[in-house]
Structures are given as structure tokens and as C-alpha cells.
């Protein structure tokens, strides 16, 4: 299917990206992310941008979430759950918003023909395969050492965060 205008949706797995950015030693600016991907294709219409994040409590990250909303992101949240690992004897926290991401991808599939997914999680492999079967072009953004082989193989295009750092990095003003 060919469109006169690319219709783009962006999905950001916030918790996954937090760790990817921490690993790289720099953070991206959500506004610059939107600007960068809008400018990548000559006739691009950004139709949706979603940001998913786990919260310690309902007030956690309130200012950041409000800023995302003012930029045009739809923000989805879930309270973190604590898990105990018998092998390591450690507790960890997880929100696991994968299903919310996939639901939003499929609920809005008629609105776009191009997706940018910020995540390295291999759990998205099947969803990406199904979206590609609907003539959707999929770009996955992650970083080396945090991108699942299955996800990288399922996508049309993989971008390492470090390749676009100068375009999306959060700048101190």
C-alpha cells in the first residue's frame, strides 16, 4: 500500500528505554525524538505518540508525565510490582506494560502505516510480525546489548540510540 503521506505512530517503552539510556550514559529528549522522526520522511504526519512507564506510586514522575502530555504523548502507566528472585535472593520491581503497548498498536493500526518502537524487548516479535503483514513499516530503536535478536530480526529497520544521539540527546540549556 502506498500513501501520499506517511502516517507515523511512536511507541516508547519508557522503563526499557530508561535502562538503555543509563547503559549508554546519556538521556534523550522526548521533544527531540518527536522532531527527529517527523523530519525523517518528506511527507510525514505524526498521528500518535505513546509513552509507557511504571510508577512507584500514583504521584511518581508527575512533572515528567505532565511534560510528556503537553508534548502530545499519550501516557500509560502501571504501578510497579515487587518480585522476589529465589536464585539471587533479591527483590526487583517491574511494571510490565508490554500488553498495553501491543493493545494500543492494534487499536490504532488503521491510523498509521509506519511505526517507531523504542524497546529492545523480544516479547514484541510476534506483534511486529503481524503489523508487518498489514504493510506497516516498523523501525525499532534500542541499543547494543539490550536489543533481543528476535526483535531485531523481525523489524524492517533497527536504529541504535547512539547512531542518532546528536539528534535526540537531552541538552542542558
Amino acid at each position: 500500500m502506498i500513501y501520499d503521506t506517511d502516517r507515523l505512530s511512536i511507541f516508547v517503552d519508557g522503563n526499557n528505554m530508561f535502562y538503555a539510556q543509563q547503559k549508554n550514559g546519556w538521556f534523550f529528549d522526548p521533544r527531540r525524538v518527536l522532531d527527529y522522526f517527523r523530519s525523517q520522511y518528506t511527507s510525514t504526519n505524526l498521528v500518535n505518540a505513546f509513552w509507557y512507564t511504571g510508577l512507584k506510586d500514583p504521584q511518581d514522575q508527575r512533572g515528567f508525565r505532565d511534560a510528556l502530555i503537553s508534548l502530545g504523548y499519550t501516557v500509560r502507566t502501571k504501578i510497579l510490582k515487587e518480585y522476589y528472585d529465589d536464585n539471587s535472593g533479591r527483590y526487583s520491581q517491574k511494571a510490565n506494560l508490554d500488553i498495553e503497548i501491543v493493545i494500543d498498536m492494534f487499536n490504532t493500526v488503521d491510523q498509521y502505516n509506519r511505526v517507531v518502537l523504542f524497546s529492545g524487548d523480544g516479547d514484541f516479535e510476534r506483534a511486529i510480525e503481524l503489523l508487518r503483514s498489514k504493510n506497516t513499516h516498523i523501525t525499532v530503536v534500542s541499543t547494543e546489548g539490550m536489543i533481543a535478536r528476535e526483535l531485531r530480526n523481525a523489524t524492517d529497520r533497527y536504529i541504535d540510540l547512539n547512531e542518532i544521539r546528536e539528534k535526540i540527546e537531552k541538552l542542558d540549556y
Side-chain angles (χ1 to χ4, degrees):
M1 222 177 275
I2 308 246
Y3 298 96
D4 291 335
T5 302
D6 276 321
R7 296 167 297 132
L8 173 67
S9 284
I10 297 174
F11 299 87
V12 180
D13 181 346
N15 292 25
N16 186 281
M17 285 296 99
F18 174 79
Y19 293 112
Q21 293 171 92
Q22 201 172 44
K23 177 185 186 292
N24 287 334
W26 62 274
F27 288 85
F28 60 74
D29 181 333
R31 175 182 315 219
R32 293 187 78 198
V33 165
L34 296 179
D35 292 344
Y36 174 75
F37 283 101
R38 272 191 198 114
S39 71
Q40 284 306 290
Y41 310 99
T42 48
S43 302
T44 300
N45 179 22
L46 179 64
V47 294
N48 289 311
F50 293 89
W51 194 288
Y52 304 83
T53 191
L55 304 175
K56 293 175 188 163
D57 60 64
Q59 295 306 312
D60 188 25
Q61 302 178 44
R62 172 64 78 195
F64 180 63
R65 289 184 286 142
D66 289 346
L68 289 171
I69 292 165
S70 73
L71 290 172
Y73 285 91
T74 298
V75 178
R76 305 266 193 245
T77 62
K78 193 185 268 188
I79 299 296
L80 292 165
K81 292 182 182 174
E82 196 166 84
Y83 297 92
Y84 180 74
D85 181 350
D86 289 330
N87 294 329
S88 69
R90 295 183 183 171
Y91 285 94
S92 63
Q93 292 183 325
K94 231 178 150 175
N96 207 352
L97 285 141
D98 297 356
I99 194 70
E100 286 79 2
I101 295 171
V102 171
I103 287 170
D104 284 337
M105 285 178 158
F106 283 92
N107 272 344
T108 60
V109 70
D110 294 335
Q111 298 174 19
Y112 60 78
N113 64 333
R114 190 173 287 278
V115 163
V116 176
L117 171 63
F118 279 76
S119 183
D121 193 331
D123 290 342
F124 292 112
E125 177 189 19
R126 186 68 180 127
I128 296 305
E129 289 172 351
L130 290 171
L131 288 172
R132 285 184 70 203
S133 75
K134 296 177 177 294
N135 297 316
T136 301
H137 184 277
I138 311 288
T139 298
V140 170
V141 181
S142 188
T143 199
E144 291 305 318
M146 295 194 72
I147 176 79
R149 183 182 309 117
E150 304 83 20
L151 182 59
R152 191 169 184 168
N153 288 338
T155 191
D156 291 302
R157 180 177 179 208
Y158 166 71
I159 300 174
D160 188 286
L161 280 167
N162 291 307
E163 290 175 23
I164 58 174
R165 178 178 181 171
E166 67 183 37
K167 304 287 188 193
I168 67 169
E169 184 174 12
K170 184 174 184 177
L171 305 173
D172 294 326
Y173 296 98

